Amino acid sequence: MPPPLPVPTVLEGLPPEPPPLTVTVVEVPPPPAQLPQFAKLDISGDFGSEVRERVANFRAQQQRFLREREEYCTTTMAKVRAAIRDNSELPRSGK
């Protein structure tokens, strides 16, 4: 019969205690009595014209999309009506 193995105690497996924490005090200087003043930039003219131009371009693009949708719908419905009138098969998409 082999000799019994030693039973470890709880303290054997623990890491060593860390050293105590040190506290460093840093002094924060008081805020200046008056904050620095910056000159206001006048960008309203240039910025405003750019915004107006972008809005105009966006509206024109939306109008173009609307016209294209209306044209597509009109031509598609004309094809459907013609197919119904001629009593032929309805046109199919390429799917």
Side-chain angles (χ1 to χ4, degrees):
M1 182 167 193
L5 295 174
V7 179
T9 62
V10 176
L11 296 177
E12 286 178 358
L14 293 177
E17 248 186 71
L21 296 175
T22 58
V23 178
T24 305
V25 177
V26 178
E27 287 190 33
V28 178
Q34 185 179 6
L35 295 175
Q37 297 294 319
F38 296 104
K40 289 189 176 187
L41 298 175
D42 183 24
I43 58 171
S44 61
D46 188 37
F47 182 71
S49 64
E50 182 180 346
V51 168
R52 281 188 291 278
E53 181 181 338
R54 287 178 181 238
V55 168
N57 289 339
F58 178 78
R59 284 185 180 157
Q61 183 179 17
Q62 293 301 311
Q63 291 296 324
R64 183 175 56 90
F65 288 156
L66 182 62
R67 277 192 310 274
E68 289 174 359
R69 274 195 304 270
E70 289 293 329
E71 290 172 9
Y72 176 78
C73 181
T74 302
T75 57
T76 304
M77 291 306 293
K79 290 177 187 176
V80 169
R81 287 185 188 109
I84 292 172
R85 184 175 45 249
D86 298 340
N87 205 11
S88 62
E89 218 176 288
L90 294 177
R92 302 281 181 199
S93 64
K95 295 180 183 177

